[in-house]
C-alpha cells in the first residue's frame, strides 16, 4: 500500500523548531554582543539577549515535547533508540573536548608560567592564596560521588520495574546536586581571590564555573525526568530520556574528579592556603 511503513526508521514530518531555534540563537548572540559593546552597538542589548534566550528555551521545551510524544506513539523503534544513544554519546564527547580546552589553559599556565607581570614566573602568582582542597572541595567531591550512586540506584530500579526506587533515587540525586551547587556558590562568595586580574583566577573560575553550570543543567535534566517518572513515562524497555540524563550526570561526576585533582590539589600544591 502506498505510504505504508516497511522499515525501522522514523521519518520526521516538517517542523518549525529547527528554523525557530536557529533564529532565536541568532537573536541571543546578537543581544549578547550588543550587551557587551553598548558604546558601539547601542543600548538594549540585554533585552535582545533575553528575547533570544526565551526563544531558545521555548524551542527546547516544544521540540523535546514532540520527541516524547513520538516515543509514546511508538515511533522510537530499537533502531531509532540506538541512534538517539549515538547522538547523546557524540554530545558528551563534544562536552569532553570543551573541558579539555579549560584544562589545557590551566596546565599551560601552570607548566609554562610567563615572566610577564603579574605572574613573575610563578603559578599561582605569589600574591594568590588558594582554597584548601580538603575542605569544601573535598566535601563537594564526596557529594557528587554519592549522587553517582543514587542515580545508578534509580537506573537499576527502573530496569527492574521498581518505580518507587526510581523516584527515590532521582529525589536523592537532585537534592545532592542542589547541595553541590549551594556549596560551590558559598565557596565562590568566600574565595580569597577575585574573578579576574590574574591567569590563575581566570583559569580557575572558567573551569570550575562551567562545571557548576553543567551541574545546574544536569539537575534540571533530572528534575524533568522526575516529573516524567511521576507521570509514568518510562518503562524497563524504553527509557532513553532517563538514560541520557544518567549518562550526562556521570560525565559531570568524572569531570569534577579531574578538576578536583588537577586544579584544587595539584594546581595549588605549592601556594599558600587561605586561612592555613
Amino acid at each position: 500500500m502506498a505510504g505504508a511503513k516497511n522499515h525501522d526508521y522514523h521519518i520526521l514530518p516538517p517542523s518549525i523548531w529547527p528554523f525557530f531555534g536557529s533564529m532565536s540563537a541568532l537573536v541571543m548572540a546578537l543581544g549578547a554582543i550588543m550587551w557587551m559593546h553598548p558604546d558601539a552597538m547601542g543600548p538594549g542589548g540585554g533585552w535582545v539577549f533575553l528575547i533570544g534566550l526565551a526563544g531558545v528555551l521555548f524551542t527546547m521545551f516544544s521540540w523535546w515535547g514532540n520527541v516524547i510524544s513520538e516515543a509514546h506513539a511508538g515511533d522510537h523503534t530499537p533502531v531509532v533508540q540506538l541512534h538517539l544513544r549515538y547522538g547523546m554519546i557524540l554530545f558528551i564527547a563534544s562536552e569532553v573536548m570543551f573541558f579539555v580546552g579549560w584544562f589545557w589553559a590551566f596546565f599551560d599556565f601552570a607548566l609554562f608560567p610567563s615572566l610577564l607581570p603579574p605572574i613573575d614566573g610563578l603559578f599561582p602568582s605569589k600574591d594568590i592564596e588558594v582554597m584548601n582542597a580538603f575542605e569544601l572541595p573535598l566535601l563537594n567531591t564526596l557529594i557528587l560521588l554519592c549522587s553517582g550512586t543514587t542515580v545508578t540506584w534509580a537506573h537499576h530500579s527502573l530496569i527492574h520495574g521498581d518505580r518507587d526506587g526510581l523516584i527515590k533515587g532521582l529525589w536523592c540525586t537532585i537534592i545532592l546536586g542542589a547541595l553541590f551547587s549551594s556549596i560551590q556558590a558559598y565557596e565562590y562568595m568566600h574565595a580569597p581571590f577575585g574573578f579576574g586580574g590574574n591567569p590563575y583566577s581566570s583559569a580557575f573560575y572558567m573551569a570550575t564555573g562551567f562545571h557548576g553550570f553543567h551541574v545546574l543543567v544536569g539537575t534540571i535534566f533530572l528534575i524533568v525526568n522526575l516529573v516524567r517518572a511521576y507521570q509514568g513515562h518510562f518503562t524497563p524497555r524504553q527509557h532513553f530520556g532517563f538514560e541520557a540524563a544518567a549518562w550526562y550526570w556521570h560525565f559531570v561526576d568524572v569531570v569534577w574528579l579531574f578538576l578536583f585533582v588537577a586544579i584544587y590539589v595539584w594546581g595549588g600544591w605549592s601556594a599558600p592556603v587561605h586561612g592555613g
Side-chain angles (χ1 to χ4, degrees):
M1 186 173 76
K5 181 176 177 180
N6 56 1
H7 54 78
D8 291 330
Y9 298 92
H10 179 211
I11 307 301
L12 293 168
S15 174
I16 188 63
W17 301 124
F19 175 78
F20 187 83
S22 299
M23 293 299 101
S24 298
L26 177 61
V27 171
M28 187 172 70
L30 289 175
I33 295 171
M34 293 172 61
W35 197 358
M36 290 183 283
H37 301 280
D39 295 336
M41 304 292 291
W47 289 108
V48 175
F49 174 82
L50 290 176
I51 291 171
L53 177 62
V56 169
L57 294 176
F58 182 70
T59 301
M60 295 164 64
F61 179 83
S62 302
W63 202 343
W64 284 331
N66 289 350
V67 173
I68 293 172
S69 299
E70 292 160 5
H72 291 167
D75 293 323
H76 289 182
T77 65
V79 172
V80 173
Q81 292 183 51
L82 179 63
H83 292 169
L84 290 171
R85 289 181 172 87
Y86 285 159
M88 191 64 192
I89 290 170
L90 290 174
F91 170 70
I92 291 176
S94 71
E95 292 282 86
V96 169
M97 299 311 297
F98 177 82
F99 278 101
V100 164
W102 304 126
F103 280 109
W104 189 295
F106 188 86
F107 281 114
D108 184 49
F109 288 142
L111 297 176
F112 307 100
S114 170
L115 297 178
L116 298 175
I119 300 180
D120 296 325
L122 297 174
F123 186 86
S125 54
K126 57 187 177 181
D127 59 330
I128 292 290
E129 288 187 343
V130 300
M131 299 179 188
N132 190 337
F134 300 103
E135 291 182 350
L136 292 181
L138 178 59
L139 175 60
N140 260 350
T141 302
L142 297 175
I143 288 171
L144 271 193
L145 289 175
C146 288
S147 73
T149 63
T150 56
V151 78
T152 301
W153 168 32
H155 194 182
H156 279 269
S157 297
L158 174 56
I159 292 172
H160 292 91
D162 179 10
R163 189 161 296 274
D164 183 60
L166 165 65
I167 291 173
K168 288 179 179 177
L170 280 172
W171 266 115
C172 290
T173 310
I174 291 166
I175 292 170
L176 289 170
L179 181 60
F180 175 94
S181 298
S182 301
I183 292 174
Q184 188 172 43
Y186 178 86
E187 178 186 72
Y188 278 9
M189 288 188 292
H190 295 83
F193 46 84
F195 280 91
N198 64 83
Y200 177 81
S201 63
S202 297
F204 174 89
Y205 283 116
M206 289 300 287
T208 61
F210 269 110
H211 176 269
F213 171 74
H214 282 71
V215 171
L216 288 174
V217 171
T219 304
I220 295 170
F221 204 169
L222 292 170
I223 290 172
V224 171
N225 277 273
L226 178 63
V227 173
R228 295 187 61 195
Y230 275 113
Q231 296 175 348
H233 280 195
F234 302 119
T235 67
R237 293 180 58 85
Q238 185 168 329
H239 52 266
F240 168 73
F242 174 85
E243 222 169 24
W247 290 356
Y248 188 85
W249 196 255
H250 288 309
F251 155 74
V252 168
D253 285 352
V254 172
V255 169
W256 176 258
L257 291 177
F258 281 100
L259 282 172
F260 174 71
V261 173
I263 294 181
Y264 284 98
V265 179
W266 180 81
W269 192 261
S270 61
V273 176
H274 178 64

